[in-house]
Amino acid sequence: MAKDVSGNHAQQMLGFNLDVPFPSEREASIALNSLSPDREPRKGGINKELAAVGNVLSVRWTADEARVLRVSVGSFMDHLALVMETMKEFGPPLS
């Protein structure tokens, strides 16, 4: 859920957090490495941070406009679905 993450309402920032559990730590790491290179095309107004902790991929966005946040999250979800589909098709990773 998007929420106001700033204390200053004059420059309101929106935030969105997403935690995606994977079957294993290795799969979360593969997803992180696959999705990390994608930088936001817009220079300002949006920030995305990715991290893998155990078997969970965590993504945190902050944005100054709801539209920009929505586009970034939607694009990320499309890429995440592709990564998960690919991992499912090729089976569990070898250690």
Side-chain angles (χ1 to χ4, degrees), residues 2 4 7-9 16-19 21-22 25 34-35 38 40 45 57-59 76-77 79 83 85 87-88:
D4 179 2
N8 180 1
H9 294 287
F16 185 78
N17 301 328
L18 176 68
D19 292 324
F22 284 87
E25 189 172 324
S34 298
L35 296 165
D38 293 339
E40 294 298 326
L57 174 69
S58 295
V59 190
F76 179 84
M77 296 299 282
H79 288 107
V83 167
E85 235 176 83
M87 286 195 287
K88 181 179 176 185

Side-chain angles (χ1 to χ4, degrees), residues 20-32:
V20 183
F22 284 87
S24 71
E25 189 172 324
R26 176 81 173 120
E27 288 166 295
S29 176
I30 289 170
L32 173 67

Side-chain angles (χ1 to χ4, degrees), residues 25-71:
E25 189 172 324
R26 176 81 173 120
E27 288 166 295
S29 176
I30 289 170
L32 173 67
N33 291 331
S34 298
L35 296 165
S36 289
D38 293 339
R39 299 282 183 245
E40 294 298 326
R42 187 174 175 207
K43 298 236 185 231
I46 185 95
N47 184 41
K48 178 175 65 178
E49 298 173 7
L50 287 87
V53 178
N55 70 321
V56 177
L57 174 69
S58 295
V59 190
R60 309 286 180 248
W61 286 266
T62 54
D64 58 7
E65 295 178 32
R67 178 184 57 83
V68 174
L69 180 61
R70 184 184 72 246
V71 169

